[in-house]
Amino acid sequence: MELKDRIDAALTAFLDRQAAVICGIDDSLEAYADAVRSFVLGGGKRVRPVFAYWGARGAGLPDSDALVACVAALERLQASALVHDDLIDGSDT
């Protein structure tokens, strides 16, 4: 499986787990969970996690699912920053 596909799979697994938690609190939050899923998984080249992955490999870490899950967290961090910048701060661009 290609690295980007592995990263997407790690993101999907994380979002599925979190959607279950969120919907367990209140079923009406399912639309929110779906919106987050669409936003995070809706595209992108996954440049940040790919660079982090190869940096870790270059530093001697072996390939593992844990490494892929770790670098996939960079996409979640970026998505959070975009939401904060665009929605909370009311950015025009």
Side-chain angles (χ1 to χ4, degrees):
M1 182 183 299
E2 295 289 325
L3 181 56
K4 181 183 179 301
D5 295 332
R6 292 176 65 199
I7 292 166
D8 284 342
L11 288 168
T12 299
F14 175 84
L15 293 169
D16 287 347
R17 287 191 307 271
Q18 296 309 306
V21 171
I22 290 168
C23 293
I25 295 169
D26 186 341
D27 286 339
S28 69
L29 296 173
E30 186 173 352
Y32 168 76
D34 290 343
V36 170
R37 178 189 316 282
S38 294
F39 181 70
V40 173
L41 298 176
K45 297 178 288 288
R46 309 292 185 236
V47 173
R48 287 169 197 81
V50 168
F51 281 166
Y53 173 87
W54 285 112
R57 294 297 310 275
L61 289 176
D63 177 41
S64 68
D65 291 340
L67 175 58
V68 172
C70 181
V71 301
L74 291 173
E75 287 297 302
R76 298 192 313 265
L77 178 64
Q78 176 65 16
S80 298
L82 289 172
V83 166
H84 183 274
D85 186 49
D86 293 348
L87 300 178
I88 295 173
D89 286 351
S91 177
D92 292 334
T93 59

